[in-house]
Amino acid sequence: MGLSAPASARARADMEERPCPVAVPAGTTCGYLLVPERRDAYQSDTIKVGYAIRKAANPVGEPVVFMSGGPGSASIPLTELITSIAPDRDVVVIEQRGGRWSEPRLECPEIVDGVLKDLAPPAAVAASPSPPPVTMPITATPAPAPNGAMGLAARTCKARLTVDLRGYRTQEIAADVVELRRSLGYDKWTLFGVSYSTRAMLLAAAMDPDGARSLVLDSYLPERLPWYDQAMGALRSTLDRLGVTARFDVAVRNINANPVTLATRDPLTRRRVMVRLTGDDVATLLAESFADPEAVPILPALVEGLAGGHTDLLQPLVDAAGGALTSHEWGLYYAVQCQDETPANTFADRRLFTADNDATVCAEWRLPPSGEEGAITQAPVLILAGQDDPITPSAAAAQATENLPGARFQEFAGVGHGVFLSSDCGRRTITAFLADPAAPAPCDAAVAPRAMIDPGSVHFTGAAYTAVGAPWVLAPLGAFALLSLLQVVGGGLTVRRDGLLTLLAGIAGVLFCAVAAWSVLTVDDEVSFAVGIPPIIFWTSPLAVVSAGLSVVAAFRERAPGVLILPAATGLVFAAWLVGWVL
């Protein structure tokens, strides 16, 4: 199929106003673009593609049109962020056909259920650990797994969807962008895509060369890239750069030998569920975590902690995975992936469950390859890449830049997937490019937005993460601190009447609590609490034990007041809580 715009795109498409489905900046209106489900089919059904427009009061320069990635991620919720990058321009945000704010919406909750069932512990989770998964080469058209949870989920979802899935692919999504420009009456605009949508935006520019002033491609996904086949290698390359590959291998090997079972919430029902993770499952979670700006700084420390046996540190990643499972419309995701992405892969390595799941679903859906062509544009292109991005590696983006005559490549240190989401320098670079594609970068991309957490700067424990979500678990600390203060006061008043032990117990307790509070308040990046606490809390913990011991001695000495039983009991409970759970 050629790259020229289809005939149906040359006429003004029908449009329909609608209320904006989420909070958007002032001056924003929303609507639907009415387009054929399949432009290559006679009398195709009409579908609705959602969009939002924020009109600038006094626009300077051409508009910016943005689409989110995925495939299947929502775009309109990012209108405010895109507006902050282009404050003096009209901002158009377009949904993908089949997305959350388009009609029909290709949601597929069966996929979420299938993932959770595949990760659920077996009925007899046992005493003997399961062996590591075996890597099994398969053909380019992977064989179905009819009896697996994902196979069943795929068949159930496809049977429920009443659309022609062949209309939900990159070629059609790009054509929607072209039609929207013409329908809105803009002569030219800048196309802005991230991750998957970089492919759609580049294709739209190739279809509509007169309408593309320039392009911004963040976390660029080049065409015909064997993404699944290269996924494990890309992850290892990123870990190599971070210097933690050896420890990663130790962690994966250990957890493959002894899988970990953790509790989390079903993202659809919010019910408590259990998941059982192998080492390869953990590798998948680590790879996906590079798309989370909050997770990237802790990943080196997390790998070190896992290699040391602290598997409770996986809880934040497991909890975050629930949000990731509901961030895509899985029907749209698989319609695109199965037609545009999986045909370029052999799936010889299915250790990452993303590859295994996608191979299984595409084998069940049996959609024809799209035959998508490579897209080239002469317009100026800014390509942004995160140095720590294993999802769309910067090396692949840099190499692909050579095929785009007007492209400029910029890598950002300390950034994972989705530069504009986590890097102020990245956002400023985009703003400068919009004003002048030849403008130099306005900031130093070699300076990371956040420093990586040094594994030596934390004492590994999952207690801090638990306390953030359930502050009541800190009750023993509060009771111990309060009674330690009372011991100092009471022991000081009665020091001449056998109050010395009480005074010393109180001083030891107060000193420990003061050091702990000071160390927590002086932490540079609070995200470090996801993997541990300041080591000084560990080194000063004997003060708490000494305080508890002195309280017990004071309470059980001859003729001791009965009230001293309270600080003694509290001290013992706190010492057990501190040593047995926190540390």
Side-chain angles (χ1 to χ4, degrees):
M1 185 179 293
L3 294 179
S4 60
S8 62
R10 299 191 185 104
R12 182 180 180 88
D14 290 332
M15 305 184 77
E16 183 180 295
E17 292 185 0
R18 63 166 297 188
C20 290
V22 295
V24 291
T28 302
T29 58
C30 298
Y32 288 121
L33 178 73
L34 278 59
V35 294
E37 186 172 54
R38 288 184 59 189
R39 292 175 172 88
D40 61 346
Y42 179 65
Q43 292 186 336
S44 174
D45 290 342
T46 297
I47 62 172
K48 299 180 180 182
V49 176
Y51 67 88
I53 306 176
R54 192 294 311 247
K55 290 279 190 179
N58 297 293
V60 177
E62 291 83 358
V64 175
V65 58
F66 170 80
M67 179 189 291
S68 192
S73 295
S75 303
I76 293 177
L78 292 173
T79 304
E80 185 171 7
L81 180 56
I82 305 304
T83 298
S84 71
I85 294 173
D88 54 356
R89 298 168 186 269
D90 286 359
V91 169
V92 180
V93 175
I94 181 171
E95 293 291 330
Q96 296 163 27
R97 54 171 52 209
R100 181 162 304 181
W101 309 119
S102 295
E103 293 183 8
R105 175 184 175 185
L106 272 60
E107 58 182 331
C108 203
E110 297 90 345
I111 295 296
V112 178
D113 188 57
V115 171
L116 293 176
K117 284 181 178 177
D118 273 347
L119 294 177
V125 82
S128 65
S130 301
V134 178
T135 300
M136 298 179 63
I138 61 173
T139 62
T141 302
N147 297 318
M150 280 302 289
L152 177 59
R155 294 194 299 277
T156 305
C157 177
K158 188 182 180 185
R160 182 178 51 76
L161 294 174
T162 58
V163 302
D164 187 342
L165 292 171
R166 292 171 295 178
Y168 298 84
R169 54 193 178 94
T170 305
Q171 187 88 13
E172 295 285 6
I173 291 171
D176 294 340
V177 177
V178 176
E179 285 204 20
L180 183 60
R181 181 190 68 78
R182 292 172 175 166
S183 296
L184 293 175
Y186 290 123
D187 292 330
K188 288 183 178 290
W189 59 9
T190 291
L191 299 100
F192 181 0
V194 59
S195 190
Y196 161 71
S197 68
T198 60
R199 182 176 290 178
M201 289 306 202
L202 184 57
L203 186 57
M207 288 177 168
D208 183 29
D210 293 337
R213 174 187 181 268
S214 58
L215 289 92
V216 176
L217 306 179
D218 185 339
S219 305
Y220 177 38
L221 180 66
E223 295 82 7
R224 294 188 294 272
L225 182 74
W227 184 82
Y228 294 100
D229 291 351
Q230 296 180 5
M232 183 60 85
L235 174 60
R236 292 185 65 84
S237 293
T238 301
L239 297 173
D240 278 341
R241 204 199 64 75
L242 295 174
V244 295
T245 307
R247 299 299 283 165
F248 166 78
D249 289 339
V250 170
V252 169
R253 182 171 61 249
N254 290 346
I255 300 174
N256 269 334
N258 295 283
V260 180
T261 300
L262 296 170
T264 189
R265 295 284 177 183
D266 183 318
L268 299 178
T269 66
R270 304 309 303 164
R271 290 181 300 184
R272 188 172 181 270
V273 295
M274 305 300 292
V275 293
R276 178 178 180 270
L277 303 175
T278 67
D280 293 333
D281 296 334
V282 171
T284 307
L285 292 178
L286 287 171
E288 295 297 315
S289 295
F290 280 96
D292 182 352
E294 291 298 310
V296 170
I298 69 169
L299 292 178
L302 176 60
V303 170
E304 178 61 36
L306 294 176
H310 298 278
T311 54
D312 56 332
L313 302 183
L314 288 169
Q315 193 67 57
L317 268 61
V318 171
D319 291 344
L325 283 173
T326 55
S327 66
H328 293 57
E329 302 310 308
W330 291 106
L332 171 59
Y333 172 89
Y334 281 117
V336 173
Q337 293 298 92
C338 296
Q339 295 178 86
D340 295 345
E341 193 72 49
T342 59
N345 294 264
T346 66
F347 288 95
D349 187 343
R350 291 170 67 162
R351 284 174 292 173
L352 300 181
F353 65 71
T354 45
D356 189 57
N357 289 348
D358 292 7
T360 298
V361 174
C362 291
E364 292 288 347
W365 283 22
R366 299 187 181 279
L367 295 174
S370 65
E372 179 189 341
E373 299 181 20
I376 301 295
T377 180
Q378 299 295 324
V381 181
L382 173 64
I383 295 180
L384 302 92
Q387 190 179 53
D388 301 324
D389 181 5
I391 301 170
T392 52
S394 62
Q399 184 176 1
T401 302
E402 300 173 2
N403 298 324
L404 298 173
R408 162 179 139 211
F409 175 79
Q410 182 66 66
E411 183 181 67
F412 293 80
V415 176
H417 190 64
V419 174
F420 83 100
L421 294 171
S422 58
S423 170
D424 178 68
C425 183
R427 292 187 287 271
R428 292 169 58 196
T429 299
I430 296 170
T431 302
F433 175 81
L434 294 176
D436 178 6
C443 46
D444 188 355
V447 177
R450 299 168 75 168
M452 293 290 182
I453 303 301
D454 180 2
S457 69
V458 291
H459 174 77
F460 295 118
T461 173
Y465 173 76
T466 301
V468 170
W472 58 267
V473 301
L474 297 177
L477 172 61
F480 178 73
L482 176 61
L483 287 173
S484 293
L485 284 171
L486 293 177
Q487 283 180 303
V488 170
V489 174
L493 293 175
T494 61
V495 68
R496 293 185 178 180
R497 300 194 307 275
D498 300 323
L500 180 60
L501 288 177
T502 299
L503 175 62
L504 293 176
I507 290 174
V510 168
L511 184 58
F512 169 78
C513 292
V515 170
W518 170 82
S519 68
V520 167
L521 292 174
T522 56
V523 166
D524 292 332
D525 192 338
E526 293 182 1
V527 74
S528 65
F529 293 126
V531 290
I533 56 178
I536 194 171
I537 296 178
F538 172 80
W539 295 114
T540 57
S541 60
L543 286 171
V545 176
V546 167
S547 174
L550 291 173
S551 297
V552 170
V553 172
F556 288 96
R557 73 182 191 277
E558 188 176 353
R559 293 188 302 277
V563 71
L564 295 184
I565 292 294
L566 181 59
T570 301
L572 289 174
V573 170
F574 176 72
W577 175 85
L578 178 67
V579 176
W581 181 61
V582 175
L583 303 179

